[in-house]
Amino acid sequence: MQSVRDTDGTRYLLVKRSSESSLVRDPATGEERYVPTDDLRSEGESPLSAAAGGLPAELRRAVLACRDERALGLLVEFADRGALSVRTLLDAYDLCESDLHGLLAEFRAAGLLAETTVAGKRGYEPTDEALEVVARFRD
């Protein structure tokens, strides 16, 4: 499989090439169609990266930030509980301090958490994007 773009710049995954027309798949919809082979140019991007690129950016960021079930669970907890202090997080969950801070940093970098103050202590709150992502996962 190969990542290609047509003359309009639309990215596709090349499923099958022939001399006159080629079968391509739209990574955003999964829809397949034939396009003239002469209209396609190789993109050089990994076809798996192109396939992932068809998902909404906020979902990709959340999936990549949640490296395991504990990380995903922490994101869900923020969505359900709202702002939490670092002390509360350390007391409530089975994460060592360095693992917790690593996850918090990844979530912040992904735009899923924002720093805040909770009862006078340093804490984090879910962003609107995090709330939307968790809701979409639950659907």
Side-chain angles (χ1 to χ4, degrees):
M1 192 164 292
Q2 181 180 359
S3 174
V4 295
R5 287 197 186 263
D6 67 8
T7 55
D8 293 333
T10 305
R11 181 184 357 191
Y12 295 102
L13 296 172
L14 180 64
V15 177
K16 184 174 156 183
R17 181 186 301 266
S18 69
S19 59
E20 303 228 353
S21 66
S22 294
L23 181 62
V24 296
R25 180 180 315 120
D26 183 337
T29 64
E31 181 182 312
E32 292 184 351
R33 67 186 188 100
Y34 284 92
V35 297
T37 299
D38 290 342
D39 289 352
L40 298 176
R41 300 291 173 256
S42 177
E43 189 170 58
E45 180 182 16
S46 160
L48 294 177
S49 293
L55 296 176
E58 66 275 5
L59 289 180
R60 286 195 318 272
R61 283 193 300 274
V63 167
L64 295 173
C66 293
R67 61 179 181 245
D68 57 26
E69 284 190 350
R70 289 181 356 161
L72 181 58
L74 183 61
L75 182 62
V76 170
E77 285 292 290
F78 272 109
D80 290 347
R81 295 179 65 185
L84 297 166
S85 71
V86 172
R87 177 59 40 211
T88 298
L89 293 166
L90 287 169
D91 290 344
Y93 304 113
D94 62 339
L95 292 166
C96 71
E97 191 169 350
S98 64
D99 286 347
L100 174 64
H101 286 292
L103 286 173
L104 295 173
E106 287 184 42
F107 287 169
R108 283 188 57 223
L112 301 170
L113 291 183
E115 283 191 55
T116 192
T117 302
V118 179
K121 304 287 184 188
R122 186 170 137 227
Y124 295 89
E125 63 185 347
T127 62
D128 290 341
E129 187 170 294
L131 298 174
E132 180 183 326
V133 163
V134 170
R136 290 179 78 178
F137 284 157
R138 285 181 164 152
D139 286 342

